[in-house]
Amino acid sequence: MGEKVVAGSFDLSDRQRYRDKLQQCLTGLERLLAQQRFDRPKNLMGLEIELNLVGADGLPKMLNAEVLERIASRDFQTELAMFNLEVNIAPHRLGDRVFDRLAEELRIALAYADRKAAEVDSGIAMIGILPTLDRDDLVSSNLSDVDRYTLLNDQIVAARGEDFTLDIEGVEHLRCTSRSITPEAACTSVQLHLQVTPGRFADVWNAAQAIAAVQVALGANSPFLFGRELWRESRPPLFQQSTDTRPPELKAQGVRPRTWFGERWITSAYDLFEENLRYFPALLPICDEEDPLEVLDAGGTPKLAELVLHNGTVYRWNRPVYDVADGVPHLRVENRVLPAGPTVTDVVANAAFYYGVVRALAEDTRPVWNRLPFEAAAANFDTACRYGIDARMEWPRRGRLGGTTTVDAVSLVRDELLPLAEAGLDAWGIEPADRDLYLGVIDERCRRRANGATWQAATFHRAQEKGLSREAALAATTRRYCELMRKGDPVHSWPVGLPEPAPLG
């Protein structure tokens, strides 16, 4: 949620006025769609990565204001907590050697940020959840000093009316409470954007939902939280629980959580924006002066400011985005399922796989969403978060028999989805060298059944076997992770365990 928000309080009339403005915005969106006012295809993709700041000891550093001051670049922005940053890469046109160019830009940007962070004895860590985070790190006093985060926290806390309960049972069981949304800051992700026309939006969003579980299985990188080993990708349950405005009674009534996979395949982008208004009360009822319908009547392009702000407080794993560039509106699918890291090569490989598979599935004459129940896609997502690359999931059978079958994630990727990703990247016009390099990283992860989560867990347990305490093992794992992350070799090639100390003399 990057919109500028000024802290303040709201009264009863603010919420009613905001609700009215939201309905005007929704009507405006409907008219824009009917008038075919949206930008033509440009094959544009974008990328954002949330980052952690860590010290040489592997522990979080609450220094984002100081680091951002030294970086002094609009490409880097603050995030929820003082140990978070975000880097935004300018949009790129899909085609040619775009992934190599993207990788080079990321390496340069992250190396620069890392050098600047070192000036205050810190460093950049690109990881789903920092293993050394403690409950005392994730308190409201460590929220970034930005109005929108303070206001968002206050409104979610007020809507819930009681402490947040974190209850995640995986390899180990974590149960604790929080008085703020700050535990959400533990979740650092990669967000992949794809600009699409209204006519293609539903197919792209449905395809992204169908493969969300596979993305998580391949890219899992968040096995630890507060010193406990939980799910292979613990971000989704943590994010949902740390932003959950529902006390138990509302959960029992079937009220939807604000962090949401969804509940149906769609036929239009309008479906998602309309659901967001129908199901979720406003958290930030801040009204813009613009009258979107008057702007439309005058032949202009409305910002739909209230709709955009509200949309940013509903945390779908594939989020619809409305935006205006150079006076022309456009739509994007924002894919938010992947954790950050482990390396630039891994991030770009994940992106190449996503853009390739989504294109191929969106253009399939037998769409996967016509053959896979939505409930199965949602269950697949949960299973992939729990088990990572070892997950088994439901998927449509190939051939004429129809129906679904349970398949190993690795087999599904290697036998069916990697060929689709290759065809999709060819359709985007990606150079074969780029295509083969980054899809080869995905294939090697599958062949070795190795990703960030498996490496973290295995290295942590090796450290404990050497006699390190839990805290020391987590810190040593984090330090080694950061060392290998900076070297840049993809995670499937990382040696498991801690290096042996150099011999004396």
Side-chain angles (χ1 to χ4, degrees):
M1 191 189 74
E3 300 82 9
K4 185 176 180 180
V5 173
V6 178
S9 58
F10 307 113
D11 60 30
L12 298 179
S13 63
D14 290 326
R15 295 189 180 279
Q16 184 56 57
R17 181 167 176 255
Y18 189 79
R19 185 177 287 113
D20 293 342
K21 286 294 296 288
L22 280 174
Q23 289 299 326
Q24 291 177 30
C25 288
L26 191 61
T27 300
L29 176 65
E30 188 174 29
R31 285 176 55 179
L32 285 165
L33 290 167
Q35 295 169 8
Q36 300 182 347
R37 293 273 302 277
F38 285 84
D39 203 0
R40 291 172 295 178
K42 291 185 176 178
N43 296 351
L44 288 179
M45 55 84 73
L47 177 69
E48 305 168 51
I49 308 177
E50 295 163 347
L51 308 164
N52 292 279
L53 292 172
V54 297
D57 54 5
L59 302 180
K61 301 280 277 190
M62 307 296 168
L63 293 170
N64 64 357
E66 292 88 338
V67 173
L68 284 168
E69 182 179 2
R70 284 164 170 79
I71 292 174
S73 167
R74 288 181 295 178
D75 293 340
F76 286 84
Q77 299 175 359
T78 188
E79 255 298 332
L80 183 61
M82 292 180 180
F83 62 90
N84 297 143
L85 302 175
E86 181 176 88
V87 60
N88 296 279
I89 299 300
H92 285 62
R93 190 179 302 275
L94 280 160
D96 302 321
R97 300 298 299 271
V98 64
F99 294 116
D100 261 357
R101 292 196 299 272
L102 182 65
E104 183 65 14
E105 287 181 31
L106 278 172
R107 289 189 185 100
I108 292 170
L110 294 176
Y112 172 72
D114 205 37
R115 290 195 301 272
K116 292 300 178 181
E119 294 176 7
V120 288
D121 299 321
S122 184
I124 299 295
M126 193 165 53
I127 192 168
I129 296 177
L130 193 63
T132 51
L133 281 170
D134 185 79
R135 288 178 59 187
D136 291 339
D137 297 317
L138 293 167
V139 293
S140 57
S141 59
N142 283 335
L143 286 171
S144 294
D145 187 17
V146 177
D147 280 349
R148 71 177 182 270
Y149 299 134
T150 301
L151 187 55
L152 185 65
N153 177 70
D154 292 347
Q155 293 300 305
I156 292 180
V157 169
R160 183 172 176 86
E162 60 187 69
D163 288 352
F164 297 87
T165 299
L166 306 181
D167 190 348
I168 307 172
E169 187 165 7
V171 178
E172 298 176 291
H173 189 186
L174 172 70
R175 182 177 172 84
C176 62
T177 60
S178 173
R179 302 185 66 84
S180 74
I181 67 168
T182 317
E184 176 200 334
C187 306
T188 47
S189 66
V190 172
Q191 290 132 42
L192 302 172
H193 291 254
L194 180 60
Q195 183 177 328
V196 294
T197 60
R200 287 175 52 86
F201 185 96
D203 289 347
V204 170
W205 188 86
N206 289 338
Q209 287 285 97
I211 65 157
V214 177
Q215 288 180 272
V216 169
L218 290 171
N221 196 28
S222 314
F224 296 103
L225 176 64
F226 299 162
R228 303 290 178 87
E229 185 179 355
L230 302 174
W231 294 8
R232 283 300 181 248
E233 186 51 43
S234 303
R235 284 170 41 258
L238 172 59
F239 203 108
Q240 178 173 323
Q241 292 176 21
S242 62
T243 59
D244 200 344
T245 55
R246 308 168 303 163
E249 296 80 5
L250 292 184
K251 289 184 186 179
Q253 293 173 35
V255 173
R256 293 148 180 92
R258 295 194 83 97
T259 300
W260 197 36
F261 188 81
E263 61 191 21
R264 62 180 177 128
W265 306 115
I266 64 167
T267 59
S268 167
Y270 181 88
D271 295 347
L272 300 176
F273 289 102
E274 188 276 333
E275 280 184 349
N276 286 356
L277 270 62
R278 179 156 41 105
Y279 293 144
F280 302 103
L283 289 176
L284 303 172
I286 301 168
C287 289
D288 190 79
E289 294 180 358
E290 176 189 80
D291 184 320
L293 302 184
E294 284 186 1
V295 172
L296 273 171
D297 290 340
T301 300
K303 297 180 295 181
L304 306 184
E306 292 82 6
L307 187 73
V308 169
L309 179 59
H310 183 64
N311 189 59
T313 66
V314 179
Y315 304 104
R316 294 178 182 271
W317 295 111
N318 283 292
R319 175 187 275 164
V321 177
Y322 170 90
D323 204 353
V324 179
D326 299 323
V328 181
H330 68 261
L331 294 171
R332 301 195 302 271
V333 174
E334 180 189 14
N335 177 261
R336 308 173 63 248
V337 307
L338 286 166
T343 67
V344 167
T345 298
D346 289 302
V347 167
V348 176
N350 289 339
F353 178 78
Y354 169 75
Y355 289 116
V357 171
V358 161
R359 169 109 189 212
L361 290 180
E363 295 180 350
D364 196 330
T365 56
R366 296 181 64 227
V368 66
W369 52 93
N370 289 348
R371 298 177 286 133
L372 181 69
F374 192 92
E375 296 77 10
N380 286 345
F381 186 72
D382 185 80
T383 300
C385 292
R386 286 179 181 271
Y387 301 111
I389 206 160
D390 293 322
R392 293 178 59 80
M393 52 192 67
E394 191 174 341
W395 196 256
R397 287 192 181 93
R398 286 187 285 180
R400 297 182 179 181
L401 293 177
T404 62
T405 187
T406 301
V407 61
D408 182 86
V410 163
S411 299
L412 173 63
V413 171
R414 299 192 79 189
D415 296 344
E416 187 168 345
L417 297 183
L418 271 174
L420 285 176
E422 183 174 333
L425 293 181
D426 287 345
W428 286 120
I430 302 298
E431 286 287 335
D434 245 23
R435 177 200 68 202
D436 295 345
L437 171 63
Y438 292 107
L439 293 186
V441 171
I442 300 297
D443 187 48
E444 279 299 298
R445 263 191 238 157
C446 290
R447 189 177 70 82
R448 304 186 192 198
R449 290 183 177 265
N451 58 19
T454 65
W455 184 90
Q456 286 187 57
T459 298
F460 166 74
H461 289 297
R462 292 270 185 94
Q464 283 195 310
E465 289 166 5
K466 288 187 173 183
L468 272 65
S469 68
R470 178 178 290 254
E471 292 76 12
L474 287 168
T477 298
T478 302
R479 292 193 299 271
R480 179 62 170 160
Y481 178 101
C482 291
E483 177 187 341
L484 294 170
M485 177 198 73
R486 290 185 177 97
K487 288 184 177 178
D489 295 329
V491 71
H492 67 258
S493 67
W494 288 9
V496 171
L498 304 176
E500 295 294 334
L504 297 175

